Amino acid sequence: MESKRQQKFAGVIQQDLAAIFQREVSSLLPNTMVTITKVRVTPDLAIARVFLSFFNNQNTSLALQTIKSHASEIRYKLGARIKDQVRIIPQLEFFVDDTSEYVERMDKIFEKISKEPRQPDTEE
């Protein structure tokens, strides 16, 4: 369970990273929209786990590797934005948020189930 402090800090990081990704990181992944779906921060606020969702991109693992290879640059830009609000700038760890893929997969399963003919309930 995250504390209020962690949640608030994660929100600040998510907001500022979203602006950074929107303006400056778009050059790393042309024609790809990157969304920061959630940020989780460790209790000591030293590590921020950032979950990303990629739209209009076929190879998410390559996109994630590109982001990870520029993590220090992204952290520097984040530090420039939040330096007056925090003591330390957290290390950034990036992960793919596959929630949308999971939802699509579940929708397909439910759709398949609903199309199957229903068998009559047998009472004994």
Side-chain angles (χ1 to χ4, degrees):
M1 185 74 180
E2 287 187 330
S3 68
K4 290 282 187 197
R5 182 174 177 224
Q6 285 173 279
Q7 292 173 355
K8 187 175 179 181
F9 189 58
V12 168
I13 291 173
Q14 184 172 358
Q15 211 171 20
D16 287 323
L17 278 178
I20 291 168
F21 272 85
Q22 187 177 24
R23 291 189 184 94
E24 301 167 25
V25 181
S26 60
S27 62
L28 298 176
L29 299 168
N31 301 326
T32 301
M33 188 172 106
V34 181
T35 305
I36 299 166
T37 55
K38 63 184 162 196
V39 176
R40 298 284 182 248
V41 182
T42 56
D44 63 355
L45 307 181
I47 299 172
R49 293 181 178 93
V50 182
F51 293 86
L52 305 171
S53 182
F54 299 97
F55 297 101
N56 202 18
N57 188 317
Q58 302 303 321
N59 193 346
T60 56
S61 59
L62 179 63
L64 183 64
Q65 275 308 119
T66 303
I67 297 294
K68 284 182 175 181
S69 67
H70 291 86
S72 60
E73 178 184 336
I74 295 168
R75 181 177 182 243
Y76 177 80
K77 291 176 181 180
L78 176 66
R81 287 175 157 268
I82 66 171
K83 67 179 186 280
D84 298 331
Q85 301 171 37
V86 297
R87 277 187 281 161
I88 60 167
I89 308 303
Q91 290 292 327
L92 301 176
E93 295 178 355
F94 295 101
F95 300 95
V96 173
D97 184 7
D98 57 355
T99 305
S100 61
E101 294 169 15
Y102 177 77
V103 168
E104 283 180 33
R105 196 168 50 238
M106 295 307 288
D107 282 344
K108 286 178 184 175
I109 291 171
F110 287 131
E111 189 175 307
K112 184 179 175 184
I113 291 170
S114 69
K115 287 182 180 178
E116 290 179 359
R118 295 193 69 175
Q119 296 183 359
D121 294 335
T122 57
E123 292 184 27
E124 293 179 24

